Structures are given as structure tokens and as C-alpha cells.
Amino acid sequence: MTRRKLVIIVGIVIAVAALVLIFWPGAEADDHAHDEAAGEMPEGVVALTDEQIREAGIQLAAVRSGAAVELVFPATVAASPTSTARIDARASGVVRSVGKTLGDYVARGETVARIESADAAALASQLSAARARVGELSAAYERERRLFEANVTARQDLEAARANLSVARSELQRAQAAVAAAGVSGDGRSLAVTSPLAGRITAAPIVLGAFVDAGEELYRVVDPNGLQIEVALPSAEASRIQPGDEAVLVVGDGREIGARVRSVTPSLDPESRSATAVLSLSRGVPGLQPGAFLQARIMPSGEIDRDRIAVPEDAIQVVEGRDVVFVRTKTGFQARDVELGTRSAGQVTILSGLQEGWQIAVANAFLLKAELGKEGATHGH
């Protein structure tokens, strides 16, 4: 073989090898084709058309800057004047029975103790005397009536007997009312101690067998549904708080309770130089006791912080333990992690994760969370 032929053969081999390398499909292309065929989506994306969004009733809202200003103050739980009662001894005597102890629930008008007292015997005696007097005068009236009908006595005698009977009956009614109000026992020896309102016993200094004076405290009752919150407002902040302002209370275990400012004292306390705001609870809170300390976050009406973002609570969804908001994209929605701040009046402050102008899912955002869970399960399978 001549040198020229050898060069030609080598050139042909090199050309064929180059063509094979150019047109043979590589591994990267195979992987790309496989991804497209599988139709995989980036994590956290829910693909939906405009029509599907409308059919699902998913409402959108634009992210806007501006969140309610919150002022934070220490607060104290107190019982309102109409939800607390001090139960005193009605008369001097010896405590003969104790029906309730500390922490027990009592109904309105329920007997919680009985006191053996001379006053009970006096009331019972007055009642007996009034009954006897009515019986005596009833008989006298009947006798005068018969004599008048027989034309034996004058009309004025009959009218006098009727008047005397009427007075006696009035005295009997008064004695019966006094006995009932005092809760005099059937044997006329003891008086009942009753609760003027329903609630729980928060103090019970009563002692069985002890002698008590009239007016001595035996129990204290508080209705847990009638609690109020008292907030000390520094003089610099007092003018910013008005009745009707919304508030959030944070209890010791981290729970948040809605409240509203009911009133604000018009003057400052001369010693503390602070005003007092009274907050009404939106609902009863189990376990909340008078004297407990809380944190109150009050939102002055009309004051807005333009440097913060707030979104409706319905926009916040929890996905795999993370707080997310679904942001509208060209193909559907993208779940974006957000850092939450405070909650109030149905709004949640967003500390990070959103930008002004983005469109987010608000109403029925939970449907996107459910759809995301379905896709995650499918991919895992």
C-alpha cells in the first residue's frame, strides 16, 4: 500500500468518527427528554388555568403595604362590678353548715351555708304571730258579717272588722317575705346564706362552727364570663386609645384572645400618672382568673404602619409545618414560605417572604394546599 492510499484511508476513518460523535444522542439529552416526558414541576407549584381558578372560587388579592399599628401594654384580669359578689353573714350566729368550698360552682340563689341565729327565731316568731292574728281577725270578721246580715250590728262595725283583717293580712305577707328572703329553716333556728349570682367560689373564709357577726365575709364569687381587662396607659399613649379600638390579649400559654376597648378613664391617676383602659373580652376564657397578668396589644383606630405588610388570615396555609402563601404565577400558583408577625382583626402581619404588588390567593386558598398535597403524594409514589 502506497503512502498516499494510507493517508486517504486514515482521513476517511477520522471523518466517520466525527460524524458519529456529532449525531449520536448523549446522556444529557436523554435526561432532558425524560424530564419533559415526565412533566415534572418545580417544588411548591400548583398548575391551574384561569378557568380552573374561577371554578374553584379562589379569590386573589394584591399584596399592599400598610398594617395596623399595635401598642403593647401589660394588663391585669379583673372582675367587672356586675360579675363579682361578696357573700356576707346576714345576722350574727354560729355557722351550722357549709355547702360550698373554694373553687366550687354555685348557681344564682343557691344556698351555700346556714347560720343558726336568734334573728331566725325572731323572724319565725313574727310569722307565727302574724298567722295567728289573721286567724283571729278572720273569725271576728265572719262573726260581724253574720250579725250585720241579721240586722244586729251596724255597717261601721263590719267595715272596721274588714279593715282590721286587711291590715293583719298585710302584716302576714310582710312576715312571710322576710322569712323567705332570710331563708329561715323549717324549725325556725337557722338562716340561709345564698349566692346572688352564678359563678365560682374564689374565696371562702367561712369556718364550720365559728361564730360570725352580721356583715362578716363568708364567700366571694366571680362569674368567669364577666371578666374584664384593665390596662395601664402611659400618659403619652393614653390619648391614642379610644373606645371601640380592637385589641389582642396574649395569655401565659401563648393563646391569643380577641378583645375591644370599652372605656378609657378621662383623667390620669395622680400617683402612677397613667390612664386606665377597660377591655371587654369577645368570649369567655376557661382558666382565666382575676389578678392574672397578660399582655395587651391595642390597635389605635386609623393608625397605619406603611412599612409593614398584612394579609388576610385565610391566605396563610401550613404546608409540612411551614407557613406559606400561594402567589399567582403565569401557570398557576407558587407556595412561598413567609414569616408571620402578629394577628388582629382577621389580618396577619408578614415579616418576610412577600413583596408589594404580588397577587396572592385569599379565599379558598386551602384548596391549593390540598392540590399541592395530592401532587406531592403522586410524585412520592
Side-chain angles (χ1 to χ4, degrees):
M1 179 180 298
T2 65
R3 181 178 180 84
R4 182 178 179 182
K5 289 182 178 181
L6 180 60
V7 171
I8 293 172
I9 293 173
V10 171
I12 294 172
V13 171
I14 292 173
V16 170
L19 291 173
V20 169
L21 290 175
I22 292 173
F23 294 103
W24 190 268
E28 184 178 355
D30 285 343
D31 291 342
H32 182 68
H34 175 74
D35 289 345
E36 290 184 348
E40 292 185 358
M41 300 293 293
E43 185 179 356
V45 170
V46 179
L48 290 177
T49 64
D50 292 341
E51 183 178 356
Q52 289 174 322
I53 293 174
R54 287 193 299 269
E55 291 178 352
I58 299 172
Q59 297 181 8
L60 302 176
V63 176
R64 294 284 182 265
S65 62
V69 172
E70 291 187 339
L71 303 178
V72 181
F73 307 101
T76 305
V77 181
S80 66
T82 58
S83 65
T84 183
R86 169 175 158 156
I87 305 177
D88 296 339
R90 297 181 177 179
S92 300
V94 178
V95 177
R96 287 307 181 198
S97 69
V98 176
K100 296 292 181 178
T101 59
L102 193 65
D104 286 349
Y105 176 83
V106 295
R108 182 177 182 180
E110 182 178 0
T111 298
V112 293
R114 297 200 73 88
I115 298 175
E116 187 175 283
S117 171
D119 289 0
L123 290 173
S125 176
Q126 290 174 9
L127 178 59
S128 297
R131 284 173 175 165
R133 181 66 173 164
V134 168
E136 177 186 352
L137 294 180
S138 293
Y141 171 74
E142 288 298 325
R143 183 172 60 255
E144 289 294 333
R145 184 180 62 80
R146 290 194 297 271
L147 292 175
F148 174 76
E149 291 175 352
N151 295 322
V152 175
T153 60
R155 176 176 292 275
Q156 59 265 30
D157 294 334
L158 176 63
E159 295 297 336
R162 180 184 291 115
N164 291 335
L165 177 59
S166 178
V167 171
R169 285 174 174 170
S170 296
E171 288 296 322
L172 175 60
Q173 291 177 354
R174 184 193 62 78
Q176 289 174 331
V179 167
V184 177
S185 59
D187 58 7
R189 297 179 58 185
S190 65
L191 303 175
V193 178
T194 59
S195 175
L197 55 79
R200 293 194 177 277
I201 303 290
T202 59
I206 187 172
V207 177
L208 182 64
F211 180 87
V212 294
D213 293 321
E216 185 173 338
E217 181 179 359
L218 304 179
Y219 291 100
R220 192 174 294 273
V221 180
V222 172
D223 179 3
N225 295 322
L227 298 177
Q228 64 185 26
I229 309 300
E230 297 181 356
V231 182
L233 305 177
S235 57
E237 311 291 352
S239 61
R240 301 172 64 183
I241 308 300
Q242 301 295 328
D245 288 349
E246 295 190 5
V248 174
L249 303 173
V250 182
V251 298
D253 56 4
R255 288 180 298 164
E256 294 187 350
I257 307 164
R260 188 177 295 275
V261 177
R262 188 175 71 201
S263 62
V264 181
T265 55
S267 59
L268 301 180
D269 183 271
E271 295 182 1
S272 63
R273 304 303 300 168
S274 63
T276 300
V278 178
L279 276 58
S280 298
L281 297 171
S282 59
R283 55 183 173 83
V285 182
L288 204 59
Q289 297 292 337
F293 294 101
L294 308 173
Q295 183 188 77
R297 302 200 305 263
I298 303 178
M299 283 67 73
S301 300
E303 295 191 20
I304 301 297
D305 185 351
R306 296 298 178 185
D307 295 330
R308 294 193 301 170
I309 290 174
V311 301
E313 285 186 337
D314 291 342
I316 308 298
Q317 300 296 317
V318 179
V319 177
E320 297 179 353
R322 308 182 332 268
D323 294 313
V324 304
V325 171
F326 286 92
V327 178
R328 184 74 166 95
T329 64
K330 292 181 179 180
T331 60
F333 293 90
Q334 169 75 53
R336 297 190 65 90
D337 293 352
V338 292
E339 182 182 357
L340 304 184
T342 58
R343 299 173 183 258
S344 64
Q347 297 285 313
V348 183
T349 301
I350 304 298
L351 303 179
S352 64
L354 291 181
Q355 294 183 13
E356 186 176 3
W358 286 358
Q359 292 284 324
I360 63 172
V362 182
N364 292 329
F366 67 91
L367 298 175
L368 298 174
K369 172 185 174 180
E371 189 65 24
L372 191 62
K374 293 178 183 178
E375 293 183 1
T378 302
H379 291 164
H381 179 72

